[in-house]
Amino acid sequence: MSTGAAETDTQAANEANTSGITASSLQNTLKERLGAEYVDIEDMSGGCGQAFNAMIVSPQFEKKTTLARHRLVNSALKTEIAAIHAWTPKCFTPEEWQKKQHDAGS
């Protein structure tokens, strides 16, 4: 029996989200549409869903320039990006990501 009230903090945060976009929804969409192996989305807007930073690792980025990678991501998230204020993706191939992780651990 639903009272219409949020039953969890996450649900309440999602309902309060002014854009209707969540880090989780962006993550799921990127994994589905780009076959992303790793996606880390950070809501920079304090929970209102208006500004996100993203770290995206996908084999679809192979042999693409940074601009081409961003266009691919923006195309996959066209509807979502239209609903938010700021979107900052960082795109890596799996090999680039492994090297970045290795270099960070050194």
Side-chain angles (χ1 to χ4, degrees):
M1 180 170 150
S2 176
T3 62
E7 295 177 19
T8 66
D9 288 342
T10 301
Q11 186 179 359
N14 288 343
E15 288 175 6
N17 188 337
T18 59
S19 71
I21 306 298
T22 66
S24 178
S25 68
L26 291 170
Q27 184 177 38
N28 291 338
T29 300
L30 288 167
K31 285 183 176 182
E32 178 184 313
R33 295 184 185 164
L34 296 181
E37 296 177 2
Y38 175 80
V39 180
D40 182 37
I41 307 284
E42 183 179 3
D43 185 344
M44 303 300 292
S45 64
C48 73
Q50 288 295 309
F52 295 94
N53 284 341
M55 191 83 60
I56 308 159
V57 179
S58 173
Q60 289 192 32
F61 298 147
E62 294 285 346
K63 299 182 181 173
K64 287 187 173 49
T65 65
T66 299
L67 180 59
R69 292 173 184 194
H70 286 193
R71 285 180 174 163
L72 183 64
V73 169
N74 291 351
S75 177
L77 296 175
K78 187 174 184 175
T79 303
E80 291 85 350
I81 289 173
I84 61 179
H85 174 71
W87 169 248
T88 307
K90 292 183 182 173
C91 306
F92 300 95
T93 65
E95 293 78 18
E96 291 168 340
W97 182 246
Q98 285 179 352
K99 183 179 184 321
K100 182 175 177 60
Q101 296 304 303
H102 179 266
D103 292 348
S106 299

